[in-house]
Amino acid sequence: MGANFEELELQPTDLVGCRYRQVQRHRYPDTEPSSVGQQRAGRLRAARAEVFALLPQAPALGDPKKFLRIDIPDGESAEFDTLEALAAEADLITGVVFRGRSGESSWYLEVDALARMAHGTYLPVIVSNHRVARPREGASMLAISTTRLGLARKPTELPYQQRHHAIDGYRLSLAARALAEVELDSGWGAAIGQDRTKVFLAPSNTHQQALDAALQVTPPTQPRRVKECDSCRYWSFCAPELEAVDEISLFLSGDRAQSYREQGIHTVTGLIDAALGEPSALARAWRDEIPVLRRRAQLQAPRADVEIDIDVEAYLDQGAYLWGVFDGREYLPFVTWEGLGGDAEGENFARFWTWLMQRREQAAAAGESFAAYCYSAHGENHWMLGSARRFAGKRYGDHRIPAEDEVREFISSAQWIDMFRLVKEQLVGPGGLGLKIVAPAAGFHWAEAGFDGEESVHAYRIAVGEDSAAAARARAQLLSYNGDDCRATAAVRAWLEAGAPGAPLLGEGRR
Ligand code: SF4
């Protein structure tokens, strides 16, 4: 099936990640987004609504009296309305649409807002759900308060450092081109990220070269499996295309097969037949649907008299709302639904920490060994240290926030064990060794099947939302998911200690 790419109107999302999406969008224009895609879009709509509610409606005391905000409604005339709003010299314009051409490519762009700056030029502003800047001593970025967009003509300096995201850079560069066409480009673009109250500015010329290169890329003629495929609306079309040619990316996604491609190996069967040792053995395991293999005959798992499995759930960068613990008999959730960043989160963390340290002390007093486990300690370490730092010095009744050094002492001790690290030393899997792969091999299954990190982000929003019936369901779902993550870690430990029955030895082929 051929596609006439000159007719294709590019969107910024076409320029990052899989370029085959653009081909499939052209072929199957009416394909609905995947459920993950819909949830993502819902979160973005919610982020925009939060930001739009903060934007000024009228001048504040001390501002010039004249202030014109134009909210452009969705619709076919949005592009025309944008140009009209610019001609009217509006101070703030939302719902902006631009179309343009760069070389052979035509493109379409939505921009959340345009704010009028000094000299009558405009600042394009986009809203996203990622972090666009992080606080850093000694760093400096220009910023405007969201509540002052269109009113404050000059930004102020804040000690933040920009976090680069290619997609944001492309959107703002395209917006700068569109504004330059009407001689209103300020030379700056801005993004509002997880902190909805701050608009961070950056020069918009830094991405122009990369944008030109991205616009000139010829779309590929066949798919290659990448990470994004998991949530892509076109997977049901791409999967059969990949399977038909036994494409090596079915097993090794993204660039992971690059070195084999350079050797002329483009299929899974080709990799198996090349007899390259572990890569070929893993390709065979993938084809035979064997998720986990043993690297060696004898396996081990550290055990203790008192064993606690821990799993944290956080919402984006905003905070940790759930510390789940499982002691082999009972699952105990330390949870708050009262919002993040304030005392509710601090107190919840303090209660969890107090409980954990009490169990540790009780074990020591009884002469018992103690160990706490998690599966991949990165998140837990990040939020334990981060919570100690963010709520430093606070006390909530009998529960206090530990000093950072106390947390450091614990997470660097032999009593804090990362099961993922131990699993990686002893096992190997064609699809990786995530808990969702290893625990089922150990015979453990989640009550909430198909729930993953992104789903949990979505569920948290509902759990703290206004629809109380939906919130109750989402809370139950999150607790079930977290509890099972803790139990799954325990199950993996027991399975490893038993020698991972059912997992063949690497190189030995079928079970
Ligand atoms: S399913 Fe994968 S290969 Fe196909 S368009 Fe989507 S991201 Fe690209």
Side-chain angles (χ1 to χ4, degrees):
M1 201 184 306
N4 182 357
F5 294 109
E6 280 172 22
E7 289 169 18
L8 260 183
E9 200 169 49
L10 289 168
Q11 298 171 5
T13 46
D14 290 326
L15 305 178
V16 290
C18 172
R19 300 298 302 254
Y20 198 64
R21 254 193 325 229
Q22 170 186 349
V23 177
Q24 299 293 52
R25 184 160 61 80
H26 190 73
R27 286 177 179 164
Y28 310 107
D30 299 325
T31 311
E32 290 287 317
S34 66
S35 63
V36 171
Q38 288 179 25
Q39 289 171 5
R40 235 177 251 158
R43 286 199 297 279
L44 194 53
R45 273 196 302 277
R48 286 190 177 126
E50 274 177 58
V51 168
F52 285 8
L54 292 175
L55 293 175
Q57 296 284 355
L61 216 61
D63 286 328
K65 293 252 177 318
K66 178 190 159 290
F67 174 78
L68 176 61
R69 168 172 167 173
I70 298 180
D71 298 308
I72 297 172
D74 278 350
E76 289 194 354
S77 66
E79 185 192 350
F80 177 75
D81 293 345
T82 298
L83 295 174
E84 290 275 285
L86 287 170
E89 300 186 348
D91 298 281
L92 185 61
I93 310 168
T94 67
V96 169
V97 168
F98 288 124
R99 281 192 159 83
R101 279 199 80 80
S102 296
E104 293 298 300
S105 312
S106 58
W107 46 263
Y108 169 88
L109 173 71
E110 292 176 6
V111 180
D112 297 304
L114 292 176
R116 194 166 162 88
M117 303 298 283
H119 314 299
T121 58
Y122 280 86
L123 174 74
V125 181
I126 57 173
V127 177
S128 79
N129 264 328
H130 43 241
R131 192 148 65 164
V132 299
R134 64 166 73 239
R136 198 170 139 209
E137 241 175 83
S140 173
M141 273 190 87
L142 291 177
I144 298 177
S145 161
T146 307
T147 57
R148 298 288 298 158
L149 258 188
L151 288 168
R153 296 284 188 249
K154 286 199 178 150
T156 49
E157 281 188 39
L158 290 183
Y160 278 76
Q161 183 170 37
Q162 188 182 13
R163 290 198 74 191
H164 293 278
H165 300 276
I167 183 78
D168 292 357
Y170 290 152
R171 287 178 72 192
L172 292 170
S173 302
L174 284 171
R177 286 186 188 192
L179 286 166
E181 286 278 308
V182 287
E183 298 182 3
L184 291 174
D185 177 25
S186 63
W188 292 85
I192 301 172
Q194 290 178 12
D195 180 350
R196 312 294 187 215
T197 65
K198 293 185 184 68
V199 186
F200 289 101
L201 282 71
S204 55
N205 57 4
T206 46
H207 278 79
Q208 294 295 355
Q209 245 181 335
L211 174 62
D212 277 332
L215 286 166
Q216 279 160 23
V217 167
T218 307
T221 54
Q222 63 175 58
R224 181 180 287 189
R225 191 172 72 87
V226 289
K227 201 161 168 271
E228 301 146 75
C229 293
D230 291 349
S231 58
C232 177
R233 68 178 78 184
Y234 303 114
W235 178 242
S236 62
F237 303 111
C238 292
E241 289 185 50
L242 290 162
E243 282 157 12
V245 295
D246 189 31
E247 196 358 80
I248 193 169
S249 64
L250 283 166
F251 165 47
L252 293 174
S253 63
D255 290 334
R256 289 165 61 222
Q258 196 52 36
S259 63
Y260 305 118
R261 290 183 196 280
E262 283 161 13
Q263 296 171 52
I265 301 171
H266 296 277
T267 63
V268 179
T269 307
L271 181 55
I272 295 169
D273 294 346
L276 295 176
E278 184 169 317
S280 298
L282 285 176
R284 183 184 297 279
W286 177 83
R287 195 187 59 187
D288 294 346
E289 297 181 9
I290 299 171
V292 181
L293 302 100
R294 286 173 292 143
R295 283 192 179 280
R296 51 184 190 242
Q298 300 299 321
L299 306 179
Q300 51 185 339
R303 306 301 302 251
D305 299 325
V306 177
E307 297 185 318
I308 309 290
D309 289 282
I310 298 175
D311 186 49
V312 68
E313 305 293 337
Y315 180 66
L316 305 176
D317 272 350
Q318 294 178 15
Y321 63 89
L322 169 56
W323 293 91
V325 297
F326 175 61
D327 65 3
R329 290 187 308 279
E330 196 189 0
Y331 165 68
L332 199 57
F334 292 90
V335 66
T336 173
W337 308 111
E338 304 298 316
L340 295 168
D343 279 339
E345 186 193 348
E347 180 170 359
N348 187 53
F349 173 65
R351 295 174 77 88
F352 154 73
W353 183 263
T354 305
W355 182 90
L356 186 66
M357 291 303 115
Q358 276 174 356
R359 290 300 291 257
R360 191 191 198 197
E361 283 155 22
Q362 282 163 5
E368 294 173 325
S369 58
F370 172 94
Y373 306 87
C374 65
Y375 203 87
S376 185
H378 181 76
E380 282 72 17
N381 289 353
H382 172 80
W383 285 112
M384 276 195 251
L385 286 167
S387 303
R389 199 161 37 239
R390 287 157 65 230
F391 305 107
K394 295 244 180 182
R395 174 176 274 283
Y396 307 92
D398 291 340
H399 312 291
R400 65 172 181 83
I401 296 291
E404 240 183 289
D405 281 351
E406 250 176 279
V407 175
R408 259 182 231 292
E409 180 277 316
F410 172 65
I411 64 178
S412 57
S413 78
Q415 291 178 327
W416 179 230
I417 297 171
D418 185 345
M419 286 305 300
F420 183 43
R421 192 177 56 74
L422 291 171
V423 160
K424 281 193 296 188
E425 283 167 14
Q426 302 179 72
L427 304 174
V428 64
L433 292 168
L435 188 59
K436 295 287 187 303
I437 291 174
V438 179
F444 183 87
H445 298 282
W446 277 255
E448 289 291 338
F451 209 68
D452 63 14
E454 185 140 354
E455 299 259 352
S456 85
V457 169
H458 179 65
Y460 177 75
R461 281 195 69 84
I462 298 172
V464 295
E466 280 168 12
D467 178 343
S468 54
R473 273 196 305 277
R475 290 176 187 189
Q477 207 174 22
L478 286 163
L479 292 176
S480 164
Y481 172 63
N482 177 263
D484 278 353
D485 274 0
C486 296
R487 292 183 194 95
T489 307
V492 168
R493 184 166 57 258
W495 183 64
L496 206 57
E497 189 188 26
L505 202 55
L506 180 67
E508 278 193 353
R510 287 177 178 279
R511 280 170 281 198

